[in-house]
Amino acid sequence: MKRIFFTFLTVIQLSYGVIYRLNDSEYLRMPPLYYIEDYDSCIYQQNGTYCYAGIDLVSDTPSELLQMIHEYSEHTTTHYNHTHINHGICLTKTCKQFIQGNKTVDRRLVLERCLNESLWRDYKLKSRVDRKIFCRTLDDTININTGDIAAAVFFTLIILLNVIGSLYDFYYVKEGEGNRFLLCFSLKRNWKKLMSQGTGDQNRERLKGFNGLRALSIMIVILSHAPMLIVLIPENPHGLEKTYYDISFHIFYNGTLIVQTFFMMTGCLMAYNVRAYAEKNELTWTMIPKGIMLRWLRLTPAYAVMMIFSMTCMKFVGSGPFWQDNVGVHIYDCYHYGWWNIVYLNNYIDNSQCMVEAWYLASDMQLYILGLFVCILAKTARSRKTVLPTLYILGFFLPGIITYLMDLDDVHVFPETFRYYFIGNSTFNHSFKPGHTNIPNFIFGLAVGNLIYEGLKDEKKVEKFKKLGFLYHLTFPTGLVFLLCGIVFYGDRPRPSIYIRAVAACLMRPVFGLLLALIFIGMVFKFESLYRRVLEWDGWQIPARLSYSAFLIHVSIIRTFLGMKTTLSRMGMVECAKEASAIIFITFLIAYPFWLFIEAPLNQAILNIFNLSNKNKRNDKAPNDKIDKIKEQSEKISVIELDDDGNKNKHEHMRL
Ligand SMILES: *[C@@H]1O[C@H](CO)[C@@H](O)[C@H](O)[C@H]1NC(C)=O
Ligand SMILES: *[C@@H]1O[C@H](CO)[C@@H](O)[C@H](O)[C@H]1NC(C)=O
Ligand SMILES: *[C@@H]1O[C@H](CO)[C@@H](O)[C@H](O)[C@H]1NC(C)=O
Ligand SMILES: *[C@@H]1O[C@H](CO)[C@@H](O)[C@H](O)[C@H]1NC(C)=O
C-alpha cells in the first residue's frame, strides 16, 4: 500500500513540470487572473448586489488546460498563481437565473454555481469559490460604533487644540512666553520650525547630508510601493510577468535593500550622539530604560493617530470592488492586531495586514534598544573593539543560517507575494523583517558613527580613507549595478541550491552597507563632492523632517486609492512612473498638514507634560539637580535628529 502511494506521488510529481514561458495566444487560453464587471451600473440597480471573490480553478475530469495552468503557476518567482483568480461579478445581473427571486440565498453558492456554468462553457473548468467573499449592495450601511464616536471626538479635540493654540499665539502671546502646552499647537510656531534652516554647530553642519539621504530614501520607498496600485489588480498580468525579464524593473524588485539606509543612519547617528554626549557627562545604565521610553514617546503619538484613523474613519472614505480586499482587511487587522504595532513587535507576527510597512518601525525600535545597550555598556574604545565586531559577525551569519534552516529564498518580491501584501511569504517573514536579521548594517552604522565622531575631532584618524579617492564616485553606480544584478535570482530555472541562497542572504545587506558607509564617510569628511553637493542641498531639509509623517501615511493612501478604483490597471513603465509621481506628490502634500497639526504638536505636548511634571516635583521638594540631569541625558541620547537648534524640545524634528 505504501509503495503504491509512493508511486502515485512520484507520478504526480513527474506529471507536473514547470512551464517558464507561454506565448500570448497560449496565455489567453487561461481564464483571466483579474476580471471585474462594471461596479456602478450594478450597485445602482434595484437590489443590485456586487461580489468580489477569490476563485480556485478545479476540474472533475482530467483537463489539459488546468494542467498547463498548474505548470505555469509552478514557477512562483516570476508568475502569478493562475489557479487562483479574482473576479468581481454583478450577482443580480450575471447570475440572475441562479437567484430566481430568492432573496435569502447563500451568495457564495450562487456565485459558485454561476461560475461553474460560465467557466465550463468557456474553458471546460469548474470553480471553488473562497469561503470569504466580499459582497455589497447599496442598502449596506456602515455601522457607527462607539469607537468611531470616540475617534471623532478625539480628532475634533486635536483640531480645536490647534485652532486655539494658533489663535492664542497670534493674539495673546507677546514676548514668546505663554502657556507652553497651548503653544505646542501653534501653527505659526510649527510652521517656523518646519521651515527653519541650518544649525549653528559646525560639526552638526558636517552631518547635514544625512537630510538628503533621508529624504531621497523615503522617496524611493514610496516610489517602490506606488506600483501596488497596478500589480495588485493588473489588467495585463502577462505584461507584469514579463517585466521580470526587463532589467530596468529590477530597481523596483531589488530596491527593498534601500531600507538598510535607515538602519545604518540610525546606528551612525546614535553612536555619534552618545559619544558627543559622553564628552561632558557620564553614561549610566539608567539611560537605557529612559532612552527606550523617550524613543517610544517620540514615535508613537503620530503612529497611534494613524492607527486610530485606520480603525475608524477610513471605513467611511470610499467603496468599490476592491475596497474590502485592500482596505477592509487592513481595518479589520488593525482592530485585532494593532496593539502589536504599538509595542513595536509587529514584525514578529506574520498574519496581520495592519500597516504591514511598519515592520520597519518595529525592527528599528528593536535595533535601537540593542544599540542603547551597546553604546552605553561598551563605553571604552577597547570594549567597543570587541563588542562591535562580535555582534557584526553574528549579524552577518544569522540571515544565512536562518535561510538555510528554514529553506528560504534570497529574494521575495514575487508576483504572488505582493498580491497578498507579502503576508504568508516566509522569506519576508523570517529573513527580511525581523530585527535580528537586520543587525549587521545597524552595528556597522554604530562603528561608522564612532569613526565619524573621532574623525571630526581629529582629521588625522581618517586620513587613510582619503586615499580611496575615486572609489567614492563609484559608490552610486556600483550600488545601482548591485541592485540590477538581482535579476539573476529571477531567471527561467529551478530554485538555486540552498547554499547559494544562504550565501546570498548573508552577503546582500553587508555589501550594500559597505557602499553606504563609503557614501557617509565621503560626505562627512568632504572626500567626495559630487554626491555630497546633492545630499547637502538645503531643499532636502523639509522633506527630511516630513519623512516620518510621509512614511506613516503613504501605504494607507495607496490602499485607499486602490480600494476606490473601479477598473483594472495596466502595467508598464509609463504607468508605474505616473503612479509613483502621483503618490509621492500626494503623500508629501498630506504629510505637511499631518506634521503641522499632529506629529509636531503631539510630540512637543508630550514632552511638555513630562517637563511640567518634573517642574512640579522640583517645586514640591528641594531642588533636585540629579533628576534633571538624568532627564536631560536621556532626552539627548534619544534625539538622533541632526537638527539641534538649541531649543529645549528637540524631539519634533525629522526622524525615521
Ligand atoms: C504559441 O505556442 C504554441 C505551442 O507551443 C504554438 O502552437 C503556437 O503557434 C504559438 N503561437 C504563436 C502566435 O507563436
Ligand atoms: C496556487 O493556489 C492554489 C489555491 O490557492 C494552491 O493550492 C496552490 O498550491 C498554489 N500553487 C502554487 C504553485 O503555489
Ligand atoms: C431560498 O434559498 C434558501 C437557501 O438556499 C432556501 O433554504 C429556501 O428554501 C429558498 N427559498 C425559495 C422560495 O426558493
Ligand atoms: C461547482 O463545481 C465543483 C466541481 O465540480 C463542485 O465541487 C461544486 O460543488 C460546484 N458548485 C456548485 C454550487 O454546484
Side-chain angles (χ1 to χ4, degrees):
M1 185 62 205
K2 229 179 189 170
R3 188 183 283 164
I4 293 172
F5 185 63
F6 185 72
T7 337
F8 181 67
L9 269 184
T10 29
V11 167
I12 286 196
Q13 286 224 313
L14 285 180
S15 68
Y16 266 4
V18 179
I19 298 177
Y20 292 116
R21 298 199 195 198
L22 285 176
N23 63 28
D24 284 319
S25 56
E26 284 174 308
Y27 197 91
L28 289 174
R29 284 174 60 208
M30 300 195 280
L33 187 67
Y34 285 88
Y35 167 80
I36 56 164
E37 295 180 345
D38 191 55
Y39 183 71
D40 288 337
S41 71
C42 177
I43 276 287
Y44 291 110
Q45 252 180 355
Q46 176 130 48
N47 294 328
T49 307
Y50 193 93
C51 292
Y52 185 72
I55 301 150
D56 278 331
L57 294 177
V58 293
S59 172
D60 302 323
T61 51
S63 157
E64 184 264 330
L65 176 62
L66 192 62
Q67 165 109 356
M68 184 189 96
I69 296 176
H70 270 296
E71 293 182 353
Y72 186 72
S73 306
E74 204 58 33
H75 189 53
T76 50
T77 28
T78 59
H79 297 165
Y80 282 102
N81 185 345
H82 289 263
T83 63
H84 190 79
I85 59 181
N86 285 89
H87 285 196
I89 307 266
C90 183
L91 214 60
T92 38
K93 198 154 117 197
T94 312
C95 305
K96 209 173 188 171
Q97 77 255 42
F98 298 95
I99 301 180
Q100 288 161 344
N102 189 339
K103 280 198 176 161
T104 56
V105 288
D106 180 345
R107 286 163 175 171
R108 198 185 79 85
L109 276 183
V110 169
L111 190 64
E112 191 171 284
R113 212 168 289 147
C114 177
L115 279 164
N116 269 359
E117 200 217 40
S118 64
L119 282 171
W120 181 254
R121 194 180 54 227
D122 298 337
Y123 302 96
K124 295 280 174 286
L125 291 175
K126 291 283 182 72
S127 67
R128 196 180 303 123
V129 174
D130 279 0
R131 194 151 308 187
K132 208 163 161 200
I133 65 171
F134 300 118
C135 291
R136 203 179 126 77
T137 68
L138 209 53
D139 310 331
D140 293 345
T141 47
I142 305 168
N143 295 328
I144 299 179
N145 56 30
T146 40
D148 300 331
I149 295 167
V153 171
F154 174 73
F155 284 115
T156 318
L157 200 71
I158 287 192
I159 294 169
L160 268 180
L161 275 172
N162 273 299
V163 171
I164 295 172
S166 306
L167 292 177
Y168 173 70
D169 189 20
F170 198 75
Y171 287 112
Y172 290 98
V173 180
K174 292 285 173 272
E175 277 138 29
E177 286 292 320
N179 183 320
R180 275 160 60 203
F181 181 78
L182 272 184
L183 284 181
C184 299
F185 290 89
S186 158
L187 180 60
K188 195 173 103 193
R189 282 171 192 233
N190 288 328
W191 178 258
K192 229 189 222 158
K193 232 162 240 155
L194 181 60
M195 294 295 155
S196 69
Q197 289 281 350
T199 68
D201 189 333
Q202 242 186 12
N203 276 353
R204 297 252 159 201
E205 202 65 35
R206 299 287 287 274
L207 302 180
K208 198 173 156 194
F210 283 106
N211 282 333
L213 267 175
R214 193 185 300 284
L216 281 173
S217 308
I218 192 73
M219 283 180 190
I220 295 173
V221 167
I222 300 174
L223 178 96
S224 56
H225 285 158
M228 275 164 56
L229 276 165
I230 298 171
V231 299
L232 269 91
I233 45 167
E235 178 189 66
N236 56 337
H238 200 196
L240 187 139
E241 289 167 355
K242 283 178 186 163
T243 62
Y244 281 95
Y245 303 110
D246 178 346
I247 194 153
S248 53
F249 277 90
H250 283 268
I251 295 192
F252 290 116
Y253 296 142
N254 304 306
T256 49
L257 277 177
I258 202 77
V259 327
Q260 298 299 320
T261 317
F262 293 120
F263 291 129
M264 200 115 167
M265 273 195 286
T266 307
C268 188
L269 297 175
M270 178 180 207
Y272 181 91
N273 283 324
V274 172
R275 290 294 295 276
Y277 173 77
E279 245 172 59
K280 296 189 194 111
N281 308 278
E282 204 190 331
L283 299 175
T284 57
W285 70 269
T286 48
M287 289 166 65
I288 296 173
K290 299 219 166 193
I292 296 171
M293 194 60 207
L294 280 164
R295 170 79 163 189
W296 190 84
L297 286 175
R298 164 68 184 87
L299 293 182
T300 310
Y303 191 9
V305 167
M306 200 52 218
M307 198 82 90
I308 292 171
F309 180 83
S310 296
M311 291 192 294
T312 55
C313 309
M314 210 161 161
K315 63 184 168 198
F316 302 102
V317 174
S319 73
F322 312 112
W323 183 263
Q324 280 304 323
D325 211 18
N326 292 291
V327 185
V329 177
H330 164 70
I331 295 171
Y332 178 89
D333 282 354
C334 278
Y335 246 109
H336 291 85
Y337 307 105
W339 63 275
W340 286 99
N341 293 53
I342 297 298
V343 296
Y344 297 90
L345 287 173
N346 50 313
N347 59 338
Y348 286 101
I349 59 161
D350 298 340
N351 52 355
S352 161
Q353 281 210 31
C354 178
M355 297 181 83
V356 181
E357 73 284 4
W359 71 266
Y360 159 73
L361 295 178
S363 243
D364 186 71
M365 179 65 109
Q366 290 144 19
L367 291 173
Y368 188 84
I369 294 172
L370 174 74
L372 276 177
F373 275 94
V374 172
C375 286
I376 289 170
L377 299 182
K379 296 182 236 204
T380 60
R382 229 178 93 212
S383 57
R384 271 197 296 273
K385 267 188 188 132
T386 47
V387 172
L388 290 182
T390 315
L391 278 173
Y392 186 80
I393 290 168
L394 196 78
F396 180 89
F397 287 109
L398 213 51
I401 295 170
I402 291 170
T403 300
Y404 180 79
L405 291 179
M406 307 191 76
D407 191 25
L408 304 176
D409 292 301
D410 27 30
V411 282
H412 61 272
V413 189
F414 307 144
E416 203 60 15
T417 49
F418 45 62
R419 195 175 174 190
Y420 301 108
Y421 289 93
F422 297 101
I423 300 294
N425 179 287
S426 45
T427 306
F428 177 71
N429 288 336
H430 301 296
S431 163
F432 189 68
K433 67 179 186 177
H436 56 265
T437 53
N438 286 303
I439 289 176
N441 279 339
F442 178 76
I443 295 293
F444 198 35
L446 288 180
V448 173
N450 277 305
L451 181 83
I452 287 178
Y453 176 80
E454 282 158 21
L456 287 178
K457 290 256 135 191
D458 176 9
E459 295 256 347
K460 277 197 205 91
K461 288 199 171 151
V462 287
E463 231 158 35
K464 55 178 183 266
F465 288 97
K466 201 167 185 173
K467 293 183 196 123
L468 294 177
F470 69 99
L471 275 183
Y472 292 109
H473 290 298
L474 285 184
T475 45
F476 181 70
T478 315
L480 203 63
V481 169
F482 181 63
L483 289 189
L484 294 180
C485 277
I487 197 171
V488 300
F489 297 118
Y490 296 94
D492 285 348
R493 71 182 100 74
R495 247 172 139 197
S497 88
I498 183 69
Y499 300 106
I500 294 179
R501 275 179 276 144
V503 170
C506 282
L507 284 179
M508 271 191 299
R509 277 173 269 225
V511 171
F512 197 71
L514 207 64
L515 295 173
L516 284 173
L518 277 180
I519 289 185
F520 286 12
I521 291 171
M523 178 180 85
V524 173
F525 298 112
K526 310 198 178 187
F527 294 155
E528 183 278 334
S529 42
L530 178 65
Y531 307 134
R532 182 171 65 84
R533 290 226 178 93
V534 175
L535 294 174
E536 289 186 347
W537 179 48
D538 285 336
W540 295 127
Q541 267 193 21
I542 295 165
R545 259 173 222 154
L546 294 175
S547 61
Y548 183 52
S549 292
F551 178 79
L552 285 178
I553 60 180
H554 79 282
V555 175
S556 296
I557 294 174
I558 294 173
R559 277 189 190 259
T560 311
F561 280 14
L562 199 54
M564 296 204 297
K565 273 190 134 142
T566 51
T567 53
L568 300 174
S569 324
R570 210 169 166 74
M571 179 66 178
M573 205 33 142
V574 176
E575 287 83 354
C576 280
K578 203 179 84 190
E579 299 292 8
S581 36
I583 293 291
I584 289 179
F585 178 74
I586 293 167
T587 301
F588 275 95
L589 204 66
I590 301 179
Y592 270 89
F594 190 85
W595 192 90
L596 287 169
F597 296 122
I598 294 170
E599 191 189 336
L602 287 187
N603 276 325
Q604 294 169 71
I606 283 180
L607 263 176
N608 264 332
I609 290 168
F610 274 63
N611 274 349
L612 284 179
S613 62
N614 221 14
K615 225 178 192 174
N616 292 342
K617 240 184 238 159
R618 210 165 38 181
N619 291 343
D620 291 347
K621 294 177 195 164
N624 191 344
D625 285 348
K626 212 167 172 193
I627 288 185
D628 263 7
K629 213 169 181 183
I630 291 174
K631 218 197 86 50
E632 202 181 298
Q633 284 170 6
S634 40
E635 201 171 284
K636 216 161 186 179
I637 61 155
S638 72
V639 181
I640 66 159
E641 291 89 343
L642 298 167
D643 260 35
D644 188 348
D645 48 11
N647 187 328
K648 235 189 159 184
N649 306 328
K650 292 163 194 139
H651 291 257
E652 65 274 25
H653 298 304
M654 53 173 185
R655 166 66 214 114
L656 186 96

